Amino acid sequence: MIRVITCTLCLTHACTLRCCYCYAGRKYNHAMSKETAQRAIDICLNEAIAQGRGLDLSFFGGEPLLEWELLQWCYEYLEARKEQLIVPPRYGITTNGTLLTPERLAWMEERDFLIGISVDGSPAMHNINRCYVNGKGSHAAVAKALELLNNSPHIRTKAICVVSPNNVHLLAEGVQWLAAHFRHEIGLNIDYWSEWTDEQFELLCEQYRQVATMVLKSYRKGSPIRLSNIEYKIESHIRSAETEAAAACAQCTIGEREIGVSVDGNFFPCSRLVGNGDDEELNFGNVREGINRAKQHWIIANRGNVTPACKLCTLRARCTNSCGCTNHASTGRINEVSPFLCCSEKFFIETADEVAEILYAEQNPHFMKRFYPGVDVEKA
């Protein structure tokens, strides 16, 4: 499989919403210029060519659909140069869905965009954090966007549900709502930017157990809930059972295979670390001067995990302990794991294994087809 570099353009600081947990910097009317976008794409394209890799172009914000014309221009600009790449580029966007229209969706579907739509489950769960500037919840608008996605037969999409300390008590309800109203993959993003108390962690575990039971029942009913958190942990077990090298392929490559570009053209090792675009510690270049190799090499050399306990843990190959942006969110360092991450990851792995062991023992046909496609269920 050919590896790729992902160029993520943060098109604007402006946003239609004011989500309580947003890590993408302060919200104001400041958009990326066409010149900055062009230079960023050129640098990332040259980097991909030099390394013999593919190039993915992704759009982030703020709310990137506020800069729809710029987004389209960026797509056309890279498409005109795609013959220089060893594989055609792929495209993606992360959006809150409030500005998604049938026309925009049709344009992106035709070009095979991957659309990540932020929706925190049920109306009650979603509207706690995802509100308009006036404080009104945005769930009704996002539900219309989900309906558009459901009615688009060839769209690639995923729901992004953020679980934070103040909405975790509604997690099971939120997943149940999503399973009933969204026929594509669902991903739960834990809010590592916030402080979690012991009581809130226990509530997370309680709610997640209910979600796991929901997933288990959905497989038995023949209509599996595609919850990426559980699926990825099951896949990590299968990978680690094959070879340790295969397990390592899933580890974070911060500073190496992604360039997050701020509105003003500064480079960061991950789109989740761009923020206001002015963090000197993690900035490794800009569109005017190019990539700062010394800084890039420093980030690569310091990424990973220096937490002593993790080196002895038998679950280390199945855990996000080396995810630079998650570590930075919870500890302020790209290579240091927080106690909360450690405890939550262990729990998520154990829960996924319980679901997998039950379904494997039952030889559930949907489970076997999804995770063991080469196994004949009748003969197993």
Side-chain angles (χ1 to χ4, degrees):
M1 182 177 69
I2 296 174
R3 292 185 174 183
V4 301
I5 292 174
T6 299
C7 174
T8 301
L9 302 181
C10 296
L11 295 184
T12 180
H13 277 295
C15 189
T16 52
L17 303 183
R18 293 297 182 272
C19 303
C20 300
Y21 48 65
C22 183
Y23 54 77
R26 65 188 184 94
K27 302 297 175 283
Y28 65 111
N29 189 22
H30 182 43
M32 181 178 285
S33 69
K34 186 180 293 185
E35 180 184 19
T36 295
Q38 178 179 331
R39 287 181 175 180
I41 294 171
D42 285 343
I43 290 172
C44 292
L45 178 63
N46 290 335
E47 192 76 358
I49 294 170
Q51 296 183 29
R53 295 185 174 186
L55 178 64
D56 290 354
L57 183 60
S58 185
F59 301 99
F60 200 64
E63 173 47 52
L65 289 180
L66 284 167
E67 295 298 322
W68 178 244
E69 291 184 1
L70 176 60
L71 184 155
Q72 291 179 300
W73 183 88
C74 290
Y75 168 83
E76 297 294 346
Y77 183 77
L78 181 55
E79 279 292 293
R81 288 151 183 80
K82 67 180 181 181
E83 299 303 326
Q84 301 174 52
L85 292 164
I86 56 176
V87 292
R90 299 177 301 182
Y91 301 90
I93 183 174
T94 300
T95 175
N96 62 34
T98 59
L99 299 177
L100 191 64
T101 64
E103 293 76 21
R104 289 173 174 177
L105 180 57
W107 187 90
M108 289 189 285
E109 183 178 17
E110 183 179 346
R111 290 155 181 81
D112 197 31
F113 268 58
L114 172 61
I115 301 177
I117 183 164
S118 298
V119 49
D120 292 351
S122 64
M125 182 180 179
H126 179 98
N127 288 336
I128 288 175
N129 289 317
R130 304 191 64 80
C131 299
Y132 290 102
V133 179
N134 62 7
K136 181 182 178 181
S138 62
H139 192 273
V142 181
K144 292 180 180 179
L146 295 184
E147 186 175 354
L148 288 176
L149 293 168
N150 283 336
N151 292 331
S152 300
H154 305 297
I155 198 69
R156 293 190 300 128
T157 185
K158 175 181 179 179
I160 303 167
C161 175
V162 178
V163 184
S164 61
N166 66 347
N167 71 6
V168 66
H169 61 290
L170 295 170
L171 173 57
E173 173 189 310
V175 173
Q176 186 174 37
W177 188 93
L178 281 172
H181 294 85
F182 189 66
R183 62 181 181 86
H184 303 277
E185 183 180 347
I186 301 167
L188 305 179
N189 283 12
I190 306 301
D191 176 11
Y192 290 107
W193 276 259
S194 296
E195 292 288 334
W196 289 73
T197 65
D198 290 343
E199 291 75 14
Q200 289 165 338
F201 174 70
E202 289 300 321
L203 188 55
L204 172 63
C205 294
E206 175 189 320
Q207 289 285 308
Y208 200 80
R209 288 190 192 96
Q210 294 183 40
V211 170
T213 300
M214 204 181 304
V215 171
L216 181 62
K217 291 180 178 179
S218 72
Y219 270 92
R220 288 170 171 167
K221 290 180 180 178
S223 54
I225 296 173
R226 293 292 314 279
L227 190 69
S228 61
N229 305 71
I230 288 180
E231 291 190 352
Y232 291 172
K233 294 306 184 189
I234 295 173
E235 289 170 350
S236 72
H237 168 74
I238 297 171
R239 279 198 308 269
S240 61
E242 294 171 352
T243 66
E244 198 167 314
C249 292
Q251 301 304 305
C252 177
T253 55
I254 187 172
E256 183 180 355
R257 283 162 49 188
E258 180 174 0
I259 299 179
V261 187
S262 74
V263 170
D264 294 316
N266 293 323
F267 296 156
F268 293 86
C270 177
S271 59
R272 296 174 72 187
L273 295 172
V274 172
N276 291 320
D278 56 2
D279 187 327
E280 294 184 4
E281 179 190 11
L282 298 174
N283 170 233
F284 68 103
N286 55 63
V287 297
R288 296 167 296 282
E289 301 169 359
I291 296 173
N292 182 328
R293 295 299 179 187
K295 193 63 173 294
Q296 183 187 36
H297 294 158
W298 178 88
I299 293 171
I300 293 173
N302 285 276
R303 72 188 184 194
N305 183 357
V306 297
T307 307
C310 294
K311 299 183 185 303
L312 302 175
C313 181
T314 58
L315 299 176
R316 64 185 180 278
R318 303 181 59 197
C319 172
T320 60
N321 61 79
S322 68
C323 177
C325 59
T326 298
N327 286 340
H328 194 270
S330 53
T331 67
R333 298 183 62 188
I334 60 174
N335 58 8
E336 190 172 297
V337 175
S338 70
F340 173 68
L341 175 67
C342 176
C343 293
S344 58
E345 280 291 291
K346 284 182 179 178
F347 177 76
F348 296 152
I349 292 170
E350 291 167 359
T351 304
D353 286 353
E354 290 173 6
V355 171
E357 287 168 4
I358 292 171
L359 292 174
Y360 187 87
E362 296 175 354
Q363 291 290 284
N364 179 277
H366 302 281
F367 175 82
M368 298 302 291
K369 182 179 179 180
R370 171 70 181 83
F371 296 101
Y372 298 93
V375 175
D376 188 334
V377 176
E378 293 183 358
K379 297 180 180 179

